[in-house]
Amino acid sequence: ETTGYTGVPTHYAYYRQQTTELTNPNLHTVIVGVHLNEIDINNLSLAMPVLINLGDMGYSYYKVILLSYTNADKITSVTLQKISN
């Protein structure tokens, strides 16, 4: 009989939460192209959510899950995941 997750190291619970989020059928991701430079990349905190103004639909918070930066002369591709309320 399974008694739950008692005794399982905490990092397993953390990854379980990430897996649950990424396999959620209601998951919303957005891929955007943005102009970033080295200072922007240096100051980027993955712990800080990104607030996006969606116009008439209001505002939503997203977290960065993938960033493809080459240099300041090229557009950076950023994949964001909507943070559920």
Side-chain angles (χ1 to χ4, degrees):
E1 179 178 337
T2 303
T3 59
Y5 291 97
T6 305
V8 175
T10 56
H11 64 275
Y12 291 131
Y14 173 77
Y15 290 119
R16 185 172 48 97
Q17 177 62 32
Q18 280 188 328
T19 302
T20 301
E21 286 180 4
L22 291 173
T23 57
N24 182 339
N26 296 319
L27 173 71
H28 294 270
T29 58
V30 178
I31 300 173
V32 295
V34 294
H35 293 280
L36 298 176
N37 60 37
E38 290 80 9
I39 295 170
D40 297 326
I41 297 296
N42 189 49
N43 291 331
L44 181 66
S45 169
L46 297 179
M48 181 70 70
V50 177
L51 178 65
I52 297 180
N53 181 350
L54 301 170
D56 293 340
M57 295 173 56
Y59 297 86
S60 288
Y61 283 101
Y62 289 79
K63 63 182 173 181
V64 176
I65 58 173
L66 180 65
L67 186 132
S68 299
Y69 177 78
T70 305
N71 63 48
D73 296 327
K74 299 194 184 247
I75 294 176
T76 301
S77 175
V78 181
T79 303
L80 304 163
Q81 177 185 336
K82 185 174 181 181
I83 299 173
S84 300
N85 296 348

